Amino acid sequence: MDQCSNCQSYDMERVHRKFYQRLWVRRISVCHQCGNIQKTFKYAFLGKTNSTENL
């Protein structure tokens, strides 16, 4: 179970990735509490393992 890095809520839902994102992104989750998007990348050289973007 994922936890939001912004508000620490467990109310997360996985979102389907677009075709080109499947090469680089392992998982995209959206928090229902604060609307935070959390991406987990497959490869370490892309930077941080979790990057957050607010809607």
Side-chain angles (χ1 to χ4, degrees):
M1 180 174 273
D2 292 331
Q3 185 177 9
C4 180
S5 61
N6 191 23
C7 68
Q8 308 304 320
S9 173
Y10 285 101
D11 192 12
M12 300 283 290
E13 180 184 3
R14 288 182 70 170
V15 178
H16 291 288
R17 298 161 293 169
K18 295 178 182 173
F19 177 75
Y20 64 91
Q21 288 177 329
R22 293 181 186 183
L23 298 172
W24 310 107
V25 179
R26 178 174 288 134
R27 177 184 310 129
I28 300 176
S29 301
V30 176
C31 178
H32 289 287
Q33 297 292 326
C34 64
N36 189 39
I37 297 175
Q38 190 166 321
K39 296 179 183 178
T40 304
F41 293 100
K42 292 181 181 179
Y43 306 107
F45 65 83
L46 290 173
K48 299 178 182 177
T49 54
N50 289 326
S51 69
T52 57
E53 299 172 358
N54 289 326
L55 293 175

